[in-house]
Amino acid sequence: MIGFILADLRRLWAGAAVVILLVALATALGVTVTLQERALRLGSARAADKFDLVVGAAGSETQLVLSSVFLQPAPLPLASGDVLAKLSADPRVAWAAPIGFGDSFSGYPLVGTTRTLIASMVDGFAEGRIFEKEGEAVLGAAVRLPLGAEIKPMHGTAETGGETHAGVVYRVTGRLKPTGTPWDRAILVPIQAVWHIHGLGHHEDHDDEDHHDEHHTDSDHEHHGIDIDAPIVEDFAANAPGIPAILVKPKSIADAYRLRQAYRGGNTVAVFPAEVLTNLYATLGDAKLVLSAVAAGSQALVAAALILVTVTHVGQRRRQIGALRAFGAPRFAVFAIAWFELFLMVAVGVLFGFLIGLVAARWIADIFTVQSGIVLPVGFGKEDLRTLLLLLSTAALLSAVPAVLAYRQSPAKALRS
Amino acid sequence: MTLPETMLSLEVSDLSVSFAGLTSPVLAIGHLTIAAGERVAVTGGSGSGKSTFINMITGLDRAGTGSIRWNGSDITRLSETARDRWRAGHVGLVMQDFHLFPGLSAVDNVLLPARLARVADSAMIDRAHQLLSSVGLVRPGQKIETMSRGEMQRVAIARALLRQPGVIIADEPTASLDSSSGEAVATLLLDMAAAAKSTLIVVSHDPSLIGRLDRRLTLSAGRITADTAAKEQTR
């Protein structure tokens, strides 16, 4: 029977190939959407894993997380320097580190922060060492610059009409190990250097500067220098400059909730990034619903095409099926041939669809990783096996329709057709 | 390998087959008998009821009233599945269009129905090779689509004879062949039927084939209008 089916498929290989391709593409569309959406959830959750609590000036919680965890460039209101000092002195806090951004170099964001934060977030250095002077910088794992390279920071980005900070040069001293987060694409520099470049921290009266916006125009942005050999000071006093975000490491979970409560109101906002991401996932879920609907629509079109193919399939084989019965093939054998031939094509299409879907999702994930730094873990899980079995079961049922038609038709009528 | 041990006799009584939309039956036979081992030609013009006759006596169709008894068993009372099983065991069919399956070799075509019925044991495979050799085909592994029409009909005859049927029923076996191939196939069909000791019923317009059979039934408008023996045909 298998030999007969394979011979028949070889004979009608072009039609069989079209059926397999249609099923494969329809399946791949759904698989890609599912895998990509899941990978995005996992990847973003992992990226936020080490960000226990983020504190910033009152404003959008989502933007605070997107800017601090995912380094998405956006103007953020600045939290007062005394917030950082208070947090650093809080007994519930293991450590608190400022995060300052807004500058870039060669398309990579420059992030001003502390050595404590770097040591906590990354499992060490792939090469070199951490910065020890104001004029030193370390690279995220995905930054394509060599050790010893000179970095001339630009305020904002080239795309948004940014301007290079005249006379400011950092020297690269180390490269971090990969984290699978957007921070792999970042150049990390001492926060005090960021403050000094922007004319902060040198002065006692910085309270009038309450917004840090990378879209400054030339007229409202002053250039200041740094002392490249100055030692790094990471004790933050109450008169520290304003900062876009503070990453806080609470000593316990209970402390985390208390701190969030304490800094959630007035001029500050405190967020658990995981909580904000959950809200984002809800939006993502809606997007998945739309994508799934589009995928389902295209699959319905393919299903309609398959019905046409099935009708043609039975039509082409009516005489063949009639002849088989006329020459003594049992009806069950005729049913099995008609069923298995169609099921084989659909099943091969579904399996190819899963393979194509996986390859497509990985390809998209790779592009996303290059652009964002977030590693998206694309892979099949148990739920995909369930989907595969469901699809194959449906294919088995649908394939029985032409088989039943073939089974029921009189051999004399089939031979006359 | 199990083979039917007897050639079959046919008795048709009060058979009437009508199709929707037609005022008169397409086939009406009051009484007809064909003895076991007899070799009968069925002739008639287009629309005379020859195909319907073949479909009814082989159990391919069951659209009428009356009885069709093969060795006393009325096949009109059998279910479709039972008729398929009966036909597989007792009838060897040879058709004008061969109904061979491309992509399969000659021997695979001969064995296909037996394989699907799960009766193709080693003895039957040997018999398939012997039959192909007997019909003059020396390459049993040759793909069907690479054969001439004459060769294809030889494969079809071998297939019909595989399970040593009690009756061989051939529908225009030489109609699509040229005269020399037709002559060769006709000779082969008669010889092989004789060797298998099968009853032979042949629908044909081929005078040379008809002339070599024992009896001739002529159909017109669904009725048997003439039933003549070979001696009478030659008279």
Short mmCIF file of all heavy atoms in Angstrom, two decimals, chain A residues 1 3-4 7-8 10-11 319-331 333 337 407-413 415-416, chain B residues 19 52 55 59-61 80-81 84 87-88 91 93-95 97-104 112-114 116-118 143 159 163:
data_model
loop_
_atom_site.label_atom_id
_atom_site.label_comp_id
_atom_site.label_asym_id
_atom_site.label_seq_id
_atom_site.Cartn_x
_atom_site.Cartn_y
_atom_site.Cartn_z
N MET A 1 0.84 -1.20 0.00
CA MET A 1 0.00 0.00 0.00
C MET A 1 0.88 1.26 0.00
O MET A 1 0.61 2.20 -0.74
CB MET A 1 -0.91 0.00 1.23
CG MET A 1 -1.93 1.12 1.21
SD MET A 1 -2.81 1.29 2.75
CE MET A 1 -3.67 -0.26 2.83
N GLY A 3 3.90 1.48 -1.08
CA GLY A 3 4.52 1.58 -2.40
C GLY A 3 3.59 2.24 -3.40
O GLY A 3 4.00 3.09 -4.19
N PHE A 4 2.32 1.83 -3.35
CA PHE A 4 1.32 2.41 -4.26
C PHE A 4 1.16 3.91 -4.00
O PHE A 4 1.15 4.72 -4.92
CB PHE A 4 -0.01 1.69 -4.08
CG PHE A 4 -1.12 2.26 -4.90
CD1 PHE A 4 -1.22 1.98 -6.25
CD2 PHE A 4 -2.06 3.11 -4.33
CE1 PHE A 4 -2.24 2.52 -7.03
CE2 PHE A 4 -3.07 3.66 -5.08
CZ PHE A 4 -3.16 3.35 -6.44
N ALA A 7 4.25 5.79 -5.12
CA ALA A 7 4.28 5.86 -6.59
C ALA A 7 3.30 6.92 -7.08
O ALA A 7 3.59 7.69 -8.00
CB ALA A 7 3.94 4.50 -7.18
N ASP A 8 2.13 6.96 -6.44
CA ASP A 8 1.11 7.94 -6.83
C ASP A 8 1.59 9.36 -6.55
O ASP A 8 1.40 10.26 -7.37
CB ASP A 8 -0.17 7.65 -6.05
CG ASP A 8 -1.40 8.19 -6.75
OD1 ASP A 8 -1.45 8.06 -7.99
OD2 ASP A 8 -2.28 8.74 -6.08
N ARG A 10 4.72 10.32 -6.35
CA ARG A 10 5.81 10.63 -7.30
C ARG A 10 5.23 11.06 -8.63
O ARG A 10 5.70 11.99 -9.27
CB ARG A 10 6.71 9.41 -7.48
CG ARG A 10 7.88 9.35 -6.51
CD ARG A 10 8.95 8.39 -7.01
NE ARG A 10 8.45 7.05 -7.18
CZ ARG A 10 8.44 6.12 -6.20
NH1 ARG A 10 8.91 6.42 -5.03
NH2 ARG A 10 7.97 4.92 -6.44
N ARG A 11 4.17 10.35 -9.04
CA ARG A 11 3.54 10.66 -10.34
C ARG A 11 2.93 12.06 -10.32
O ARG A 11 3.04 12.80 -11.30
CB ARG A 11 2.46 9.61 -10.62
CG ARG A 11 1.81 9.69 -11.98
CD ARG A 11 1.00 8.44 -12.23
NE ARG A 11 -0.10 8.27 -11.31
CZ ARG A 11 -1.32 8.73 -11.49
NH1 ARG A 11 -1.61 9.42 -12.56
NH2 ARG A 11 -2.27 8.53 -10.59
N ARG A 319 -11.48 7.38 -10.96
CA ARG A 319 -11.34 6.20 -11.83
C ARG A 319 -10.34 5.22 -11.21
O ARG A 319 -10.55 4.01 -11.24
CB ARG A 319 -10.87 6.62 -13.22
CG ARG A 319 -12.02 7.14 -14.09
CD ARG A 319 -11.51 7.78 -15.34
NE ARG A 319 -10.82 6.84 -16.23
CZ ARG A 319 -11.44 6.03 -17.09
NH1 ARG A 319 -12.75 6.04 -17.18
NH2 ARG A 319 -10.76 5.23 -17.86
N GLN A 320 -9.29 5.77 -10.65
CA GLN A 320 -8.27 4.92 -10.03
C GLN A 320 -8.87 4.13 -8.86
O GLN A 320 -8.65 2.91 -8.75
CB GLN A 320 -7.16 5.83 -9.52
CG GLN A 320 -5.91 5.12 -9.12
CD GLN A 320 -4.89 6.10 -8.55
OE1 GLN A 320 -5.20 6.89 -7.65
NE2 GLN A 320 -3.69 6.07 -9.06
N ILE A 321 -9.65 4.84 -8.04
CA ILE A 321 -10.28 4.19 -6.89
C ILE A 321 -11.30 3.15 -7.38
O ILE A 321 -11.37 2.04 -6.85
CB ILE A 321 -10.94 5.24 -5.98
CG1 ILE A 321 -9.84 6.04 -5.26
CG2 ILE A 321 -11.87 4.61 -4.98
CD1 ILE A 321 -10.31 7.32 -4.62
N GLY A 322 -12.08 3.54 -8.41
CA GLY A 322 -13.05 2.60 -8.99
C GLY A 322 -12.35 1.36 -9.52
O GLY A 322 -12.82 0.23 -9.32
N ALA A 323 -11.23 1.56 -10.18
CA ALA A 323 -10.48 0.42 -10.74
C ALA A 323 -9.96 -0.48 -9.63
O ALA A 323 -10.03 -1.71 -9.73
CB ALA A 323 -9.33 0.93 -11.59
N LEU A 324 -9.44 0.14 -8.58
CA LEU A 324 -8.92 -0.66 -7.46
C LEU A 324 -10.02 -1.56 -6.91
O LEU A 324 -9.80 -2.75 -6.66
CB LEU A 324 -8.41 0.26 -6.34
CG LEU A 324 -7.02 0.86 -6.53
CD1 LEU A 324 -6.73 1.88 -5.44
CD2 LEU A 324 -5.96 -0.23 -6.50
N ARG A 325 -11.20 -0.98 -6.75
CA ARG A 325 -12.31 -1.79 -6.22
C ARG A 325 -12.77 -2.82 -7.23
O ARG A 325 -13.11 -3.96 -6.86
CB ARG A 325 -13.46 -0.88 -5.81
CG ARG A 325 -13.05 -0.03 -4.64
CD ARG A 325 -14.17 0.43 -3.76
NE ARG A 325 -15.28 -0.48 -3.63
CZ ARG A 325 -16.52 -0.06 -3.49
NH1 ARG A 325 -16.79 1.23 -3.48
NH2 ARG A 325 -17.50 -0.92 -3.34
N ALA A 326 -12.81 -2.44 -8.50
CA ALA A 326 -13.23 -3.39 -9.53
C ALA A 326 -12.31 -4.61 -9.56
O ALA A 326 -12.75 -5.74 -9.78
CB ALA A 326 -13.23 -2.71 -10.90
N PHE A 327 -11.02 -4.37 -9.34
CA PHE A 327 -10.07 -5.48 -9.40
C PHE A 327 -9.93 -6.21 -8.06
O PHE A 327 -9.07 -7.06 -7.91
CB PHE A 327 -8.69 -4.97 -9.86
CG PHE A 327 -8.73 -4.44 -11.26
CD1 PHE A 327 -8.29 -3.17 -11.55
CD2 PHE A 327 -9.26 -5.20 -12.29
CE1 PHE A 327 -8.36 -2.66 -12.84
CE2 PHE A 327 -9.34 -4.71 -13.58
CZ PHE A 327 -8.88 -3.43 -13.86
N GLY A 328 -10.75 -5.84 -7.11
CA GLY A 328 -10.81 -6.65 -5.90
C GLY A 328 -10.16 -6.08 -4.67
O GLY A 328 -10.03 -6.78 -3.67
N ALA A 329 -9.72 -4.80 -4.71
CA ALA A 329 -9.16 -4.21 -3.49
C ALA A 329 -10.28 -4.05 -2.47
O ALA A 329 -11.35 -3.54 -2.81
CB ALA A 329 -8.53 -2.86 -3.79
N PRO A 330 -10.08 -4.48 -1.25
CA PRO A 330 -11.13 -4.32 -0.24
C PRO A 330 -11.42 -2.84 -0.01
O PRO A 330 -10.54 -1.99 -0.19
CB PRO A 330 -10.50 -4.93 1.03
CG PRO A 330 -9.34 -5.72 0.57
CD PRO A 330 -8.88 -5.13 -0.71
N ARG A 331 -12.65 -2.57 0.39
CA ARG A 331 -13.04 -1.16 0.57
C ARG A 331 -12.18 -0.50 1.64
O ARG A 331 -11.86 0.68 1.54
CB ARG A 331 -14.53 -1.06 0.95
CG ARG A 331 -15.43 -1.50 -0.18
CD ARG A 331 -16.86 -1.42 0.25
NE ARG A 331 -17.39 -0.07 0.14
CZ ARG A 331 -18.57 0.30 0.63
NH1 ARG A 331 -19.31 -0.57 1.28
NH2 ARG A 331 -18.99 1.53 0.47
N ALA A 333 -9.10 -1.07 2.23
CA ALA A 333 -7.80 -0.72 1.64
C ALA A 333 -7.92 0.56 0.82
O ALA A 333 -7.04 1.42 0.84
CB ALA A 333 -7.31 -1.87 0.76
N ILE A 337 -5.93 3.95 1.55
CA ILE A 337 -5.07 4.61 0.55
C ILE A 337 -5.45 6.08 0.42
O ILE A 337 -4.59 6.98 0.49
CB ILE A 337 -5.19 3.89 -0.81
CG1 ILE A 337 -4.41 2.57 -0.76
CG2 ILE A 337 -4.67 4.77 -1.94
CD1 ILE A 337 -4.61 1.71 -1.99
N TYR A 407 -14.74 5.77 -0.39
CA TYR A 407 -15.22 4.51 0.16
C TYR A 407 -16.67 4.26 -0.26
O TYR A 407 -17.08 3.14 -0.51
CB TYR A 407 -15.11 4.61 1.68
CG TYR A 407 -15.36 3.36 2.46
CD1 TYR A 407 -14.33 2.45 2.68
CD2 TYR A 407 -16.61 3.08 3.01
CE1 TYR A 407 -14.55 1.30 3.42
CE2 TYR A 407 -16.84 1.94 3.74
CZ TYR A 407 -15.80 1.06 3.95
OH TYR A 407 -16.02 -0.08 4.69
N ARG A 408 -17.43 5.36 -0.33
CA ARG A 408 -18.88 5.23 -0.57
C ARG A 408 -19.24 5.13 -2.03
O ARG A 408 -20.33 4.68 -2.36
CB ARG A 408 -19.62 6.41 0.05
CG ARG A 408 -19.65 6.38 1.57
CD ARG A 408 -20.16 7.70 2.12
NE ARG A 408 -21.53 7.94 1.70
CZ ARG A 408 -22.60 7.53 2.36
NH1 ARG A 408 -22.45 6.89 3.49
NH2 ARG A 408 -23.81 7.79 1.94
N GLN A 409 -18.36 5.59 -2.92
CA GLN A 409 -18.81 5.65 -4.31
C GLN A 409 -18.77 4.26 -4.96
O GLN A 409 -17.89 3.46 -4.68
CB GLN A 409 -17.99 6.67 -5.10
CG GLN A 409 -16.67 6.19 -5.61
CD GLN A 409 -15.89 7.32 -6.26
OE1 GLN A 409 -16.45 8.32 -6.66
NE2 GLN A 409 -14.60 7.13 -6.36
N SER A 410 -19.80 4.02 -5.80
CA SER A 410 -19.89 2.73 -6.49
C SER A 410 -18.74 2.62 -7.49
O SER A 410 -18.44 3.56 -8.21
CB SER A 410 -21.24 2.65 -7.20
OG SER A 410 -21.12 2.04 -8.45
N PRO A 411 -18.10 1.44 -7.58
CA PRO A 411 -16.99 1.30 -8.53
C PRO A 411 -17.44 1.52 -9.98
O PRO A 411 -16.67 2.09 -10.78
CB PRO A 411 -16.50 -0.13 -8.31
CG PRO A 411 -17.43 -0.78 -7.38
CD PRO A 411 -18.27 0.26 -6.74
N ALA A 412 -18.67 1.14 -10.29
CA ALA A 412 -19.14 1.32 -11.66
C ALA A 412 -19.24 2.81 -12.00
O ALA A 412 -18.80 3.25 -13.07
CB ALA A 412 -20.51 0.66 -11.84
N LYS A 413 -19.76 3.59 -11.05
CA LYS A 413 -19.88 5.04 -11.27
C LYS A 413 -18.49 5.65 -11.36
O LYS A 413 -18.24 6.54 -12.18
CB LYS A 413 -20.64 5.68 -10.10
CG LYS A 413 -22.14 5.55 -10.22
CD LYS A 413 -22.81 6.28 -9.08
CE LYS A 413 -24.31 5.99 -9.10
NZ LYS A 413 -24.94 6.40 -7.84
N LEU A 415 -15.76 4.27 -12.38
CA LEU A 415 -15.13 3.91 -13.66
C LEU A 415 -15.74 4.68 -14.82
O LEU A 415 -15.09 4.95 -15.82
CB LEU A 415 -15.27 2.40 -13.91
CG LEU A 415 -14.35 1.52 -13.06
CD1 LEU A 415 -14.71 0.06 -13.22
CD2 LEU A 415 -12.90 1.74 -13.44
N ARG A 416 -17.03 5.02 -14.69
CA ARG A 416 -17.69 5.79 -15.76
C ARG A 416 -17.24 7.23 -15.77
O ARG A 416 -17.36 7.92 -16.77
CB ARG A 416 -19.22 5.76 -15.54
CG ARG A 416 -19.93 4.58 -16.18
CD ARG A 416 -21.41 4.86 -16.36
NE ARG A 416 -22.09 5.05 -15.11
CZ ARG A 416 -22.66 4.07 -14.40
NH1 ARG A 416 -22.59 2.83 -14.84
NH2 ARG A 416 -23.28 4.31 -13.28
N PHE B 19 -32.51 3.79 -15.11
CA PHE B 19 -31.84 4.99 -14.60
C PHE B 19 -32.85 6.12 -14.50
O PHE B 19 -33.80 6.18 -15.30
CB PHE B 19 -30.69 5.41 -15.54
CG PHE B 19 -29.51 4.46 -15.50
CD1 PHE B 19 -28.68 4.33 -16.61
CD2 PHE B 19 -29.24 3.69 -14.37
CE1 PHE B 19 -27.61 3.45 -16.60
CE2 PHE B 19 -28.17 2.81 -14.36
CZ PHE B 19 -27.35 2.69 -15.47
N THR B 52 -23.68 -1.85 -18.98
CA THR B 52 -24.57 -2.10 -17.83
C THR B 52 -24.62 -3.61 -17.53
O THR B 52 -24.59 -4.02 -16.36
CB THR B 52 -25.98 -1.57 -18.14
OG1 THR B 52 -25.88 -0.20 -18.53
CG2 THR B 52 -26.89 -1.69 -16.93
N ASN B 55 -21.44 -4.47 -15.77
CA ASN B 55 -21.45 -3.94 -14.39
C ASN B 55 -22.35 -4.78 -13.48
O ASN B 55 -22.03 -4.99 -12.30
CB ASN B 55 -21.94 -2.49 -14.38
CG ASN B 55 -20.90 -1.54 -14.95
OD1 ASN B 55 -19.73 -1.87 -15.03
ND2 ASN B 55 -21.34 -0.37 -15.38
N GLY B 59 -21.13 -7.38 -10.40
CA GLY B 59 -21.41 -6.80 -9.08
C GLY B 59 -20.81 -5.43 -8.89
O GLY B 59 -20.74 -4.93 -7.77
N LEU B 60 -20.35 -4.82 -9.99
CA LEU B 60 -19.81 -3.47 -9.86
C LEU B 60 -20.92 -2.47 -9.57
O LEU B 60 -20.69 -1.40 -9.03
CB LEU B 60 -19.09 -3.05 -11.15
CG LEU B 60 -17.74 -3.70 -11.39
CD1 LEU B 60 -17.24 -3.39 -12.79
CD2 LEU B 60 -16.72 -3.25 -10.36
N ASP B 61 -22.16 -2.82 -9.96
CA ASP B 61 -23.30 -1.95 -9.75
C ASP B 61 -24.47 -2.79 -9.25
O ASP B 61 -24.53 -3.99 -9.53
CB ASP B 61 -23.66 -1.25 -11.06
CG ASP B 61 -24.12 0.19 -10.81
OD1 ASP B 61 -24.42 0.50 -9.65
OD2 ASP B 61 -24.15 0.98 -11.77
N GLU B 80 -22.33 -4.40 -0.61
CA GLU B 80 -21.27 -3.92 -1.50
C GLU B 80 -19.91 -4.51 -1.11
O GLU B 80 -19.13 -4.91 -1.96
CB GLU B 80 -21.21 -2.39 -1.47
CG GLU B 80 -20.43 -1.84 -2.64
CD GLU B 80 -20.90 -0.46 -3.07
OE1 GLU B 80 -22.07 -0.12 -2.85
OE2 GLU B 80 -20.08 0.27 -3.64
N THR B 81 -19.67 -4.55 0.19
CA THR B 81 -18.40 -5.11 0.66
C THR B 81 -18.30 -6.59 0.30
O THR B 81 -17.25 -7.06 -0.15
CB THR B 81 -18.29 -4.92 2.19
OG1 THR B 81 -18.43 -3.54 2.49
CG2 THR B 81 -16.95 -5.40 2.71
N ASP B 84 -17.59 -6.94 -3.34
CA ASP B 84 -16.17 -6.66 -3.62
C ASP B 84 -15.34 -7.92 -3.33
O ASP B 84 -14.46 -8.29 -4.09
CB ASP B 84 -15.66 -5.51 -2.74
CG ASP B 84 -16.11 -4.15 -3.24
OD1 ASP B 84 -16.72 -4.09 -4.34
OD2 ASP B 84 -15.87 -3.15 -2.54
N ARG B 87 -16.09 -10.62 -5.92
CA ARG B 87 -15.48 -10.29 -7.22
C ARG B 87 -13.97 -10.54 -7.18
O ARG B 87 -13.39 -11.09 -8.11
CB ARG B 87 -15.76 -8.82 -7.56
CG ARG B 87 -15.36 -8.42 -8.96
CD ARG B 87 -15.91 -7.06 -9.36
NE ARG B 87 -15.58 -6.04 -8.40
CZ ARG B 87 -16.45 -5.45 -7.58
NH1 ARG B 87 -17.72 -5.78 -7.62
NH2 ARG B 87 -16.04 -4.54 -6.72
N ALA B 88 -13.37 -10.15 -6.05
CA ALA B 88 -11.92 -10.34 -5.92
C ALA B 88 -11.56 -11.82 -6.03
O ALA B 88 -10.53 -12.19 -6.60
CB ALA B 88 -11.43 -9.79 -4.59
N VAL B 91 -13.74 -13.20 -10.07
CA VAL B 91 -13.82 -12.53 -11.38
C VAL B 91 -12.46 -11.96 -11.78
O VAL B 91 -11.82 -11.27 -10.98
CB VAL B 91 -14.87 -11.38 -11.36
CG1 VAL B 91 -14.94 -10.69 -12.72
CG2 VAL B 91 -16.22 -11.91 -10.95
N LEU B 93 -11.05 -9.32 -14.38
CA LEU B 93 -11.55 -8.25 -15.26
C LEU B 93 -10.44 -7.75 -16.18
O LEU B 93 -9.33 -7.46 -15.74
CB LEU B 93 -12.04 -7.07 -14.43
CG LEU B 93 -13.50 -7.07 -13.97
CD1 LEU B 93 -13.72 -5.86 -13.04
CD2 LEU B 93 -14.45 -6.97 -15.15
N VAL B 94 -10.79 -7.62 -17.48
CA VAL B 94 -9.86 -6.99 -18.43
C VAL B 94 -10.63 -5.87 -19.10
O VAL B 94 -11.73 -6.10 -19.61
CB VAL B 94 -9.38 -8.00 -19.49
CG1 VAL B 94 -8.45 -7.32 -20.50
CG2 VAL B 94 -8.68 -9.19 -18.85
N MET B 95 -10.08 -4.67 -19.05
CA MET B 95 -10.84 -3.53 -19.57
C MET B 95 -10.13 -2.86 -20.74
O MET B 95 -8.91 -2.98 -20.89
CB MET B 95 -11.05 -2.50 -18.45
CG MET B 95 -11.90 -3.06 -17.34
SD MET B 95 -12.19 -1.84 -16.09
CE MET B 95 -13.38 -2.70 -15.09
N ASP B 97 -9.47 0.24 -21.20
CA ASP B 97 -8.48 1.24 -20.79
C ASP B 97 -7.43 0.66 -19.85
O ASP B 97 -6.70 1.43 -19.19
CB ASP B 97 -9.17 2.42 -20.10
CG ASP B 97 -10.08 3.17 -21.06
OD1 ASP B 97 -9.80 3.12 -22.27
OD2 ASP B 97 -11.06 3.77 -20.60
N PHE B 98 -7.37 -0.60 -19.73
CA PHE B 98 -6.37 -1.34 -18.91
C PHE B 98 -6.51 -1.06 -17.42
O PHE B 98 -6.44 -1.94 -16.61
CB PHE B 98 -4.92 -1.03 -19.33
CG PHE B 98 -4.69 -0.86 -20.81
CD1 PHE B 98 -3.94 0.18 -21.30
CD2 PHE B 98 -5.25 -1.76 -21.73
CE1 PHE B 98 -3.74 0.35 -22.66
CE2 PHE B 98 -5.05 -1.61 -23.09
CZ PHE B 98 -4.30 -0.54 -23.57
N HIS B 99 -6.63 0.21 -17.06
CA HIS B 99 -6.67 0.61 -15.64
C HIS B 99 -5.47 0.08 -14.88
O HIS B 99 -5.62 -0.52 -13.81
CB HIS B 99 -7.98 0.19 -14.98
CG HIS B 99 -9.14 1.00 -15.45
ND1 HIS B 99 -9.27 2.35 -15.21
CD2 HIS B 99 -10.22 0.65 -16.19
CE1 HIS B 99 -10.38 2.79 -15.76
NE2 HIS B 99 -10.97 1.78 -16.37
N LEU B 100 -4.30 0.30 -15.47
CA LEU B 100 -3.06 -0.03 -14.76
C LEU B 100 -2.60 1.21 -14.00
O LEU B 100 -3.07 2.33 -14.29
CB LEU B 100 -2.00 -0.50 -15.76
CG LEU B 100 -2.36 -1.79 -16.49
CD1 LEU B 100 -1.47 -1.99 -17.69
CD2 LEU B 100 -2.28 -2.98 -15.56
N PHE B 101 -1.67 1.01 -13.09
CA PHE B 101 -1.29 2.12 -12.22
C PHE B 101 0.13 2.59 -12.51
O PHE B 101 1.09 1.86 -12.27
CB PHE B 101 -1.45 1.70 -10.76
CG PHE B 101 -2.86 1.33 -10.44
CD1 PHE B 101 -3.25 0.00 -10.42
CD2 PHE B 101 -3.82 2.31 -10.23
CE1 PHE B 101 -4.57 -0.35 -10.17
CE2 PHE B 101 -5.14 1.96 -9.98
CZ PHE B 101 -5.52 0.63 -9.95
N PRO B 102 0.25 3.79 -13.07
CA PRO B 102 1.58 4.32 -13.41
C PRO B 102 2.44 4.46 -12.14
O PRO B 102 1.93 4.67 -11.06
CB PRO B 102 1.29 5.71 -13.99
CG PRO B 102 -0.16 5.75 -14.23
CD PRO B 102 -0.81 4.75 -13.36
N GLY B 103 3.73 4.34 -12.35
CA GLY B 103 4.65 4.43 -11.21
C GLY B 103 4.98 3.06 -10.65
O GLY B 103 5.96 2.89 -9.95
N LEU B 104 4.12 2.08 -10.95
CA LEU B 104 4.38 0.72 -10.49
C LEU B 104 4.88 -0.12 -11.65
O LEU B 104 4.56 0.14 -12.82
CB LEU B 104 3.10 0.09 -9.93
CG LEU B 104 2.48 0.75 -8.69
CD1 LEU B 104 1.25 -0.04 -8.24
CD2 LEU B 104 3.48 0.83 -7.56
N LEU B 112 -1.02 -5.94 -7.31
CA LEU B 112 -1.59 -4.89 -6.45
C LEU B 112 -2.91 -5.29 -5.79
O LEU B 112 -3.04 -5.19 -4.56
CB LEU B 112 -1.75 -3.59 -7.24
CG LEU B 112 -2.30 -2.42 -6.44
CD1 LEU B 112 -1.35 -2.03 -5.31
CD2 LEU B 112 -2.56 -1.21 -7.33
N PRO B 113 -3.93 -5.76 -6.56
CA PRO B 113 -5.19 -6.11 -5.88
C PRO B 113 -5.00 -7.20 -4.83
O PRO B 113 -5.58 -7.13 -3.74
CB PRO B 113 -6.08 -6.60 -7.02
CG PRO B 113 -5.49 -6.01 -8.25
CD PRO B 113 -4.02 -5.95 -8.01
N ALA B 114 -4.15 -8.18 -5.14
CA ALA B 114 -3.92 -9.27 -4.18
C ALA B 114 -3.20 -8.74 -2.95
O ALA B 114 -3.49 -9.16 -1.82
CB ALA B 114 -3.09 -10.36 -4.85
N LEU B 116 -3.39 -5.66 -1.79
CA LEU B 116 -4.32 -4.86 -1.01
C LEU B 116 -5.29 -5.75 -0.24
O LEU B 116 -5.77 -5.39 0.83
CB LEU B 116 -5.08 -3.89 -1.91
CG LEU B 116 -4.22 -2.76 -2.52
CD1 LEU B 116 -5.03 -1.90 -3.47
CD2 LEU B 116 -3.61 -1.89 -1.44
N ALA B 117 -5.59 -6.93 -0.82
CA ALA B 117 -6.48 -7.88 -0.13
C ALA B 117 -5.70 -8.78 0.83
O ALA B 117 -6.28 -9.67 1.46
CB ALA B 117 -7.22 -8.73 -1.16
N ARG B 118 -4.38 -8.54 0.92
CA ARG B 118 -3.50 -9.28 1.83
C ARG B 118 -3.52 -10.77 1.56
O ARG B 118 -3.58 -11.60 2.47
CB ARG B 118 -3.87 -9.01 3.29
CG ARG B 118 -3.72 -7.57 3.67
CD ARG B 118 -4.04 -7.33 5.14
NE ARG B 118 -3.79 -5.96 5.53
CZ ARG B 118 -2.59 -5.48 5.86
NH1 ARG B 118 -1.53 -6.27 5.84
NH2 ARG B 118 -2.43 -4.22 6.19
N LYS B 143 8.52 -0.36 -15.67
CA LYS B 143 7.42 0.53 -15.27
C LYS B 143 6.34 0.54 -16.35
O LYS B 143 6.64 0.55 -17.55
CB LYS B 143 7.92 1.97 -15.08
CG LYS B 143 8.93 2.12 -13.95
CD LYS B 143 8.25 2.13 -12.61
CE LYS B 143 9.26 2.44 -11.52
NZ LYS B 143 8.89 1.88 -10.23
N ARG B 159 -2.93 -9.82 -14.76
CA ARG B 159 -3.57 -9.42 -13.49
C ARG B 159 -4.91 -10.13 -13.31
O ARG B 159 -5.25 -10.60 -12.22
CB ARG B 159 -3.76 -7.91 -13.47
CG ARG B 159 -4.48 -7.41 -12.22
CD ARG B 159 -4.60 -5.90 -12.20
NE ARG B 159 -5.34 -5.40 -13.35
CZ ARG B 159 -5.45 -4.13 -13.69
NH1 ARG B 159 -4.82 -3.21 -12.96
NH2 ARG B 159 -6.15 -3.74 -14.75
N ARG B 163 -5.52 -14.75 -9.73
CA ARG B 163 -6.16 -15.55 -8.68
C ARG B 163 -7.00 -16.67 -9.28
O ARG B 163 -7.91 -17.19 -8.65
CB ARG B 163 -6.98 -14.63 -7.78
CG ARG B 163 -6.08 -13.67 -7.01
CD ARG B 163 -6.85 -12.67 -6.19
NE ARG B 163 -7.41 -13.27 -4.99
CZ ARG B 163 -8.09 -12.59 -4.07
NH1 ARG B 163 -8.24 -11.27 -4.22
NH2 ARG B 163 -8.60 -13.19 -3.02
#
